Amino acid sequence: MLRSECLEFEVVPERCLKNSSVEFHIGTPINQVITMLQLNTRILHGIKFTYSKKDPFRRDISIHLENNGIWLIFDARSQLLKIFSEPGAEATMDKVEESFGSTHPGAYDESEKVYIQSWRGLSFCFPTTNSNHVEVAPGFGPNLRSLKYDSNSAPTLTKMTIFKGTQLTKNSERLEVPQLAYSGQNRLILAEAVREKERITGMCFLFTTEDKVKMATRGGASNDYELVTLKRTVNFGDHVTRVLATLGAPSKVFYKSDDKMSIHKVGEGRAKETVEPQPHFFFNYFSMGFDILFDFSTKCVIKFVLHTNIPGHYHFGVYNRCEFRVACVSEGEETVLETASKYDDFSSILHSPQPVVISRQSTEDRNPFGATFAYGTRQVVVEVMDNFQIAALTIFAAA
């Protein structure tokens, strides 16, 4: 059990840190964690967000709950949660061993003067620099050590880490989204452009989803869910009903105009004689990281928008990251745009080196992080950040 500024958390090795109000599960997407923090500002505050603007796909993202002593670390590429915790100076080695047991000596870092006791999915860090009566004794291996101390000089815990796998420093196990984070939503694995010769005709989506299965339990039937992987294609011109059957219901439907769904306006007791032009509308699939735009008149697909969820972008935290591969052909040469592609990787296929500036500086739609830049090529518009990373990819039907 971990106590943090009057809060108590249950420690579950290799899985989570939780209490009655919040649960931080390894593998949870960053957007869901941000939402959880926003809903619990009464007990979780003093939040510090850190990321690398220069190299956002290689350096992990961190959220530090400074008043609670908890670090949340997210994998830079997948944006899934790993957990680091600093519980303060209240737990000793004796308390840790009483809770988790001690089956082998720990590792000792001579340069940092730190003793690390670990189990699968869990490790504890005890510095020895402030303890004058601590003796480091050899263990049963080249890096294993044990500590000898009296009851008045027990090393104090400064950091606990929950992680996936057997060793934190050699953690090669792939993070997976826990099933409880699905909540009936799909999770995208890859979005790939579908081509006919040099023309993009649609998008192929590989994703995982929950599938209801019936299981026999003590002679009866009960409903349960299992995760399945599906591969579905949506083409330009597909009707809204087919998209619903293919991908399921969207998280939200958004209309491009403020006068949503108004066929005409009524005033002075009579309808206007002229019919207002009707807005196109988006299906927002936030959990899969993309939008699909439909023509209002035909109710058919005319555009896809894929989001990379880069920190510092106007839409960061709204969408999960969309992993995509979109092949663009220019003058017979193919260039593949991917989620982590940078401007120099695709600048040669752009129609013009001069971008359209997207400022979002209106009172209702202000972006505190500055403008982004839109570049065009055949059937594709690329929105680029000032660090040359792709913020979003818009794919539209060929004329």
Side-chain angles (χ1 to χ4, degrees):
M1 187 69 70
L2 165 68
R3 289 180 174 84
S4 172
E5 199 196 44
C6 300
L7 296 178
E8 288 190 356
F9 288 90
E10 180 183 352
V11 176
V12 184
E14 208 176 8
R15 288 182 56 191
C16 67
L17 189 69
K18 64 180 181 178
N19 63 17
S20 59
S21 300
V22 294
E23 295 187 9
F24 299 116
H25 284 261
I26 291 178
T28 304
I30 190 171
N31 300 343
Q32 287 185 239
V33 173
I34 290 174
T35 299
M36 187 190 308
L37 296 176
Q38 291 172 335
L39 294 174
N40 290 277
T41 54
R42 183 180 59 84
I43 61 173
L44 300 173
H45 40 85
I47 299 173
K48 183 178 180 180
F49 183 84
T50 306
Y51 66 94
S52 171
K53 182 177 180 180
K54 181 179 179 181
D55 207 357
F57 284 91
R58 293 190 177 183
R59 297 188 179 182
D60 289 341
I61 301 169
S62 71
I63 296 177
H64 186 192
L65 311 183
E66 295 180 307
N67 292 348
N68 303 98
I70 297 173
W71 286 89
L72 306 175
I73 309 296
F74 299 83
D75 180 77
R77 184 59 187 255
S78 68
Q79 296 190 334
L80 301 181
L81 176 63
K82 301 181 247 186
I83 300 177
F84 288 74
S85 166
E86 294 184 7
E90 61 184 47
T92 63
M93 283 189 65
D94 293 335
K95 290 183 179 180
V96 170
E97 292 186 358
E98 180 181 345
S99 299
F100 296 95
S102 179
T103 58
H104 58 80
Y108 187 71
D109 188 328
E110 181 67 37
S111 61
E112 299 292 333
K113 304 296 182 183
V114 170
Y115 178 78
I116 301 173
Q117 185 70 50
S118 61
W119 292 261
R120 182 179 179 88
L122 183 68
S123 70
F124 297 90
C125 181
F126 301 91
T128 60
T129 52
N130 297 325
S131 301
N132 297 322
H133 303 286
V134 175
E135 178 185 350
V136 181
F140 298 101
N143 297 319
L144 297 180
R145 296 291 186 269
S146 60
L147 298 186
K148 295 182 179 180
Y149 51 87
D150 58 44
S151 59
N152 297 321
S153 60
T156 303
L157 175 67
T158 59
K159 184 171 71 173
M160 179 195 70
T161 305
I162 303 174
F163 54 91
K164 186 74 173 177
T166 56
Q167 297 185 51
L168 179 62
T169 56
K170 297 180 180 180
N171 183 19
S172 59
E173 294 194 23
R174 189 169 75 89
L175 290 170
E176 295 182 354
V177 179
Q179 188 164 350
L180 59 85
Y182 277 75
S183 301
Q185 299 176 321
N186 302 330
R187 299 290 170 183
L188 186 71
I189 299 173
L190 179 67
E192 195 163 14
V194 178
R195 308 187 63 87
E196 289 183 6
K197 297 182 179 179
E198 295 188 358
R199 191 166 64 97
I200 299 176
T201 59
M203 294 295 299
C204 180
F205 300 105
L206 180 66
F207 59 94
T208 53
T209 189
E210 291 179 310
D211 182 45
K212 180 177 285 190
V213 295
K214 290 186 176 181
M215 301 178 65
T217 305
R218 296 181 180 179
S222 64
N223 293 330
D224 204 350
Y225 290 89
E226 64 177 1
L227 296 180
V228 295
T229 300
L230 303 176
K231 193 173 186 179
R232 297 286 189 266
T233 298
V234 177
N235 294 310
F236 290 116
D238 281 354
H239 193 268
V240 63
T241 55
R242 185 183 184 281
V243 175
L244 288 171
T246 302
L247 299 177
S251 306
K252 183 180 179 180
V253 178
F254 174 77
Y255 291 84
K256 294 184 67 176
S257 173
D258 289 335
D259 56 343
K260 305 169 186 175
M261 290 296 290
S262 59
I263 304 302
H264 56 265
K265 294 183 179 179
V266 179
E268 301 291 332
R270 60 185 181 134
K272 291 182 64 176
E273 295 181 0
T274 58
V275 178
E276 297 282 339
Q278 303 307 315
H280 298 326
F281 58 95
F282 284 101
F283 274 9
N284 304 127
Y285 289 94
F286 296 138
S287 65
M288 291 200 284
F290 62 81
D291 306 314
I292 299 177
L293 180 65
F294 296 87
D295 179 89
F296 181 86
S297 299
T298 65
K299 307 296 188 295
C300 292
V301 177
I302 58 175
K303 188 183 293 184
F304 300 92
V305 184
L306 316 178
H307 301 270
T308 63
N309 199 43
I310 290 286
H313 185 257
Y314 179 76
H315 286 135
F316 174 73
V318 176
Y319 297 84
N320 284 334
R321 171 164 290 166
C322 176
E323 286 289 340
F324 58 76
R325 284 179 52 87
V326 177
C328 299
V329 179
S330 178
E331 297 181 357
E333 182 176 347
E334 181 178 283
T335 299
V336 178
L337 300 177
E338 297 182 313
T339 306
S341 296
K342 302 188 75 169
Y343 175 79
D344 289 343
D345 299 329
F346 55 83
S347 59
S348 62
I349 66 172
L350 300 175
H351 288 164
S352 171
Q354 296 300 321
V356 173
V357 179
I358 306 174
S359 61
R360 292 192 177 97
Q361 292 304 313
S362 66
T363 303
E364 300 81 8
D365 196 25
R366 186 174 298 278
N367 180 10
F369 300 102
T372 55
F373 310 92
Y375 299 87
T377 185
R378 184 177 181 182
Q379 288 189 261
V380 176
V381 174
V382 190
E383 183 183 353
V384 180
M385 304 276 288
D386 59 1
N387 60 357
F388 305 109
Q389 298 283 170
I390 296 176
L393 206 66
T394 301
I395 305 165
F396 51 90

